Amino acid sequence: QVQLVESGGGLVQAGGSLRLSCAASGRTFSVYFMGWFRQAPGKEREFVAAISRSGGTPYFADSVKGRITISRDNAKNTVDLQMNSLKPDDTAVYYCAAAMQATTRRWQYSYWGQGTQVTVDS
């Protein structure tokens, strides 16, 4: 098992940047495929980005391509999401999650953090 805790959320103006971090503890972090999801009020939780166990071959949702970078540091047991050129539509609670296989599907992720709020002013 693994425990996940997100941090770095907050209030930013449109066009600004924010860096989210997810800290893991428990089972060896490097065995997990890590993903970021987000959920706005009244909407389904949607995929944002994911990264492989080794840190290669990242995958991004079309809505964030070119504006987001995902990275992981297996020595520190962390995965980060760097978000630039933020838009009001990016406002949501952001969650990190861990899966045993490469996937973008929410139901295939076994472990979830509590989420961190990101609010982007227009």
Side-chain angles (χ1 to χ4, degrees):
Q1 297 185 8
V2 62
Q3 295 78 48
L4 306 173
V5 180
E6 303 94 337
S7 63
L11 175 65
V12 298
Q13 293 183 325
S17 298
L18 204 61
R19 188 177 185 88
L20 307 182
S21 182
C22 177
S25 62
R27 189 178 179 183
T28 303
F29 175 70
S30 61
V31 306
Y32 295 104
F33 185 87
M34 298 297 298
W36 283 92
F37 292 76
R38 66 186 183 186
Q39 187 169 24
K43 297 183 179 180
E44 297 285 337
R45 189 171 300 184
E46 65 176 357
F47 172 79
V48 176
I51 191 168
S52 68
R53 294 169 178 81
S54 64
T57 318
Y59 186 85
F60 303 98
D62 290 340
S63 61
V64 300
K65 284 184 177 179
R67 301 189 296 119
I68 281 184
T69 299
I70 186 170
S71 61
R72 68 188 297 163
D73 188 334
N74 289 338
K76 296 181 178 180
N77 292 349
T78 58
V79 57
D80 291 353
L81 191 72
Q82 176 67 45
M83 302 188 294
N84 303 316
S85 301
L86 286 165
K87 306 173 181 179
D89 286 346
D90 295 320
T91 295
V93 176
Y94 283 71
Y95 301 88
C96 66
M100 296 304 297
Q101 297 179 346
T103 180
T104 63
R105 300 180 179 183
R106 185 182 65 184
W107 59 270
Q108 291 186 302
Y109 282 81
S110 299
Y111 305 101
W112 294 84
Q114 294 298 307
T116 184
Q117 177 71 47
V118 172
T119 302
V120 184
D121 284 340
S122 58

